[in-house]
């Protein structure tokens, strides 16, 4: 894909040039940077070592050269350092007391920090994903996203993901809407809602709403992922989408049980990672196809910086944009490639005007969906 090539060219110099980038560093880069650190340390210690082991003029001290007797002042000071007290017992308890109190203080501080901090989010995006994936899905909170209080012993748990499909593809039409950040997914989705009555589910909007929800167990995790341009663990996003679909069908039908209720959904900005794609199609509903808005990085960046003037989003800034581009190329494009191999991608050039992009979208959807549109 020529646009992809452009995007890859665009991000390469920035991602490889920044050492504190949150995007996944190529393994080689990681390895070389970890090799560089010891050598820096080695240089430092060499420097210190050279100073400390500088040979002093040798003045051999022979036993015979020592003064035979100590002056009274010296004798007194030695009583406090080396010579045992008159009663013969050395007092060790103050040392034990200090060590004991110090250890207890350190332990309490460590416990407190452990409770306050969410899973440590390292700079490397892939490492961050691994860190959060260590938290296994909980099988005891079926009403996610419910208010799950964080007790001191409770780590962040992922919501459960069901193993059967929540909706039937014969009732529900799902179209994934993908494209780089700022490609116009949201803009085109809104138009499609107005014209065809789709239900628009933006994964990013759902995550931002969950982030703000008082008592959300995932708020801090989501906020960190979004700022870092990383992908929130799929359990969270898949469950949010499933819940939103169910809510929409319930609202539409006025029934609690939504089996047999028809609906058509634009799932915007999802799936951004292969695991999400597979999990959603296995457990929620298979997608009909992917609407992919193709746009070069230069244009995306221009649009995002413009949007950032008014969006209030924590990730519409140059640093986060760079990270999002890298995540898009490395993690999300393989999803598009996967669906393309299956003949399930409808590619639309997103560089023309909003109206023209929409006309092209309508044309393609009509061809694909026919009466279902
Ligand atoms: N075809 C287009 N031409 C110019 N600007 C566009 C176009 N499509 C969207 N935009 C603008 O670009 C910005 C990003 O669009 P948006 O739909 O929010 O992108 P996404 O949902 O893909 O992140 C918005 O400010 C929007 O008005
Ligand atoms: O399935 C998703 C969709 C979004 N995000 C996060 O939400 C951010 C914003 O996504 P959105 O689709 O709102 O914005 P875009 O980047 O497309 O402009 C992304 O960078 C990710 O951090 C995520 O983790 N999983």
């Amino acid at each position: 894909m020529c646009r992809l090539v452009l995007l890859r060219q665009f991000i390469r110099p920035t991602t490889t040039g920044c050492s504190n980038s949150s995007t996944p560093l190529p393994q080689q880069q990681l390895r070389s940077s970890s090799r560089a650190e010891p050598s820096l340390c080695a240089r430092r210690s060499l420097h210190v070592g050279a100073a400390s082991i500088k040979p002093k003029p040798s003045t051999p001290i022979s036993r015979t050269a020592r003064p035979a007797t100590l002056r009274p002042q010296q004798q007194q000071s030695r009583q406090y350092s080396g010579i045992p007290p008159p009663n013969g017992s050395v007092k060790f308890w103050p040392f034990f007391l200090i060590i004991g109190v110090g250890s207890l203080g350190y332990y309490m501080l460590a416990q407190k920090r452990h409770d306050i901090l969410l899973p440590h989010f390292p700079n490397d995006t892939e490492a961050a994903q691994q860190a959060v994936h260590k938290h296994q899905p909980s099988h005891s909170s079926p009403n996610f996203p419910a208010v799950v209080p964080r007790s001191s012993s409770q780590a962040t748990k992922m919501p459960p993901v069901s193993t059967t499909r929540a909706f039937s593809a014969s009732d529900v039409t799902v179209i994934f809407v993908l494209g780089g950040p700022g490609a116009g997914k949201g803009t085109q989705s809104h138009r499609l809602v107005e014209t065809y009555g789709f239900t628009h589910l933006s994964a990013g909007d759902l995550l931002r709403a969950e982030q703000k929800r008082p008592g959300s167990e995932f708020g801090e995790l989501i906020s960190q992922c979004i700022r870092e341009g990383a992908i929130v663990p799929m359990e969270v996003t898949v469950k949010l989408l499933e819940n939103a679909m169910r809510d929409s069908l319930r609202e539409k039908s006025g029934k609690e049980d939504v089996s047999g209720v028809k609906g058509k959904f634009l799932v915007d900005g999802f799936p951004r990672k292969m695991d999400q794609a597979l999990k959603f199609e296995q457990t929620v509903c298979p997608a009909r196809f992917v609407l992919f808005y193709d746009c070069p990085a230069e244009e995306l960046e221009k649009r995002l910086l413009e949007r950032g003037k008014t969006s209030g989003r924590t990730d519409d800034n140059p640093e986060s944009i760079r990270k999002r581009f890298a995540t898009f190329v490395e993690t999300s494009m393989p999803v598009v490639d996967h669906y393309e191999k299956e003949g399930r991608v409808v590619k639309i050039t997103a560089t023309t005007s909003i109206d023209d992009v929409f006309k092209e979208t309508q044309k393609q959807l009509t061809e694909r969906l026919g009466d279902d549109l």
Side-chain angles (χ1 to χ4, degrees):
M1 285 183 191
C2 61
R3 303 282 182 209
L4 172 61
V5 171
L6 269 171
L7 190 51
R8 281 191 175 128
Q9 281 173 347
F10 181 85
I11 66 152
R12 192 169 294 129
T14 49
T15 51
T16 53
C18 179
S19 61
N20 65 350
S21 162
S22 77
T23 54
L25 292 168
Q27 278 308 311
Q28 205 182 345
Q29 198 182 337
L30 279 176
R31 262 185 252 118
S32 60
S33 61
S34 62
R35 265 202 303 272
E37 191 53 30
S39 72
L40 182 66
C41 293
R43 258 185 278 128
R44 275 202 204 114
S45 62
L46 268 180
H47 178 75
V48 173
S52 59
I53 61 168
K54 203 171 166 186
K56 289 180 186 160
S58 65
T59 44
I61 302 169
S62 68
R63 280 182 171 275
T64 51
R66 279 187 190 166
T69 52
L70 294 168
R71 276 175 289 169
Q73 201 185 354
Q74 284 173 308
Q75 277 178 334
Q76 197 179 11
S77 71
R78 284 198 61 181
Q79 278 198 355
Y80 289 102
S81 56
I83 297 170
N87 64 5
S89 67
V90 179
K91 289 204 175 83
F92 288 112
W93 66 266
F95 298 107
F96 289 126
L97 185 69
I98 291 164
I99 290 167
V101 169
S103 305
L104 184 69
Y106 177 78
Y107 174 77
M108 286 168 69
L109 190 68
Q111 281 294 104
K112 201 171 167 204
R113 283 181 66 85
H114 178 78
D115 289 347
I116 291 169
L117 292 175
L118 276 159
H120 175 61
F121 204 83
N123 270 344
D124 174 55
T125 304
E126 201 55 44
Q129 293 299 315
Q130 285 167 7
V132 290
H133 273 289
K134 275 185 193 154
H135 298 272
Q136 295 301 309
S138 157
H139 298 285
S140 58
S141 55
N143 295 324
F144 173 85
V147 178
V148 186
R150 269 173 68 74
S151 75
S152 59
S153 60
Q154 195 181 25
T156 302
K157 288 179 183 151
M158 293 302 121
V161 175
S162 61
T163 47
T164 53
R165 280 187 183 135
F167 308 103
S168 157
S170 56
D171 297 333
V172 164
T173 300
V174 169
I175 297 170
F176 290 147
V177 185
L178 288 179
K185 303 182 292 294
T187 305
Q188 295 301 324
S189 296
H190 286 130
R191 290 269 185 118
L192 289 169
V193 168
E194 285 165 11
T195 314
Y196 300 107
F198 278 97
T199 301
H200 175 216
L201 299 179
S202 157
D205 286 350
L206 289 171
L207 287 167
R208 281 183 284 272
E210 176 63 18
Q211 177 198 325
K212 285 187 199 142
R213 189 175 62 81
S216 170
E217 194 181 359
F218 305 103
E220 185 60 24
L221 174 67
I222 293 169
S223 131
Q224 286 180 343
C225 286
I226 289 180
R227 232 184 1 258
E228 294 297 317
I231 311 291
V232 173
M234 59 144 181
E235 290 89 345
V236 176
T237 319
V238 168
K239 203 68 198 171
L240 285 171
L241 284 168
E242 183 188 328
N243 287 351
M245 285 174 72
R246 187 170 293 104
D247 287 350
S248 162
L249 294 173
R250 277 183 182 152
E251 198 177 312
K252 191 175 168 188
S253 66
K255 291 192 296 182
E256 188 68 12
D257 178 6
V258 294
S259 50
V261 179
K262 306 272 183 222
K264 48 185 184 179
F265 295 93
L266 294 169
V267 179
D268 164 7
F270 178 96
R272 283 174 130 94
K273 201 175 173 191
M274 266 323 291
D275 66 349
Q276 291 180 325
L278 299 174
K279 189 57 89 181
F280 185 92
E281 295 211 86
Q282 274 165 13
T283 65
V284 181
C285 185
R288 288 285 277 271
F289 55 86
V290 173
L291 210 47
F292 174 60
Y293 289 100
D294 195 15
C295 193
E298 290 82 354
E299 177 66 18
L300 296 178
E301 189 190 33
K302 211 171 68 190
R303 289 182 189 177
L304 290 174
L305 290 174
E306 190 56 37
R307 186 176 76 181
K309 290 177 186 167
T310 54
S311 69
R313 281 178 50 163
T314 55
D315 58 349
D316 278 349
N317 59 73
E319 177 69 5
S320 294
I321 289 170
R322 190 179 57 73
K323 293 172 180 176
R324 287 156 71 196
F325 283 0
T327 302
F328 176 70
V329 171
E330 290 160 20
T331 312
S332 306
M333 272 315 291
V335 178
V336 179
D337 295 342
H338 163 81
Y339 284 114
E340 195 156 42
K341 277 188 208 132
E342 293 186 351
R344 290 207 278 162
V345 172
V346 172
K347 189 159 94 177
I348 292 166
T349 301
T351 41
T352 53
S353 72
I354 292 175
D355 282 346
D356 287 345
V357 175
F358 187 61
K359 277 184 201 141
E360 182 59 19
T361 304
Q362 285 182 293
K363 183 170 161 266
Q364 299 270 6
L365 285 189
T366 309
E367 274 173 30
R368 280 269 179 165
L369 289 176
D371 291 345
D372 287 346
L373 186 59

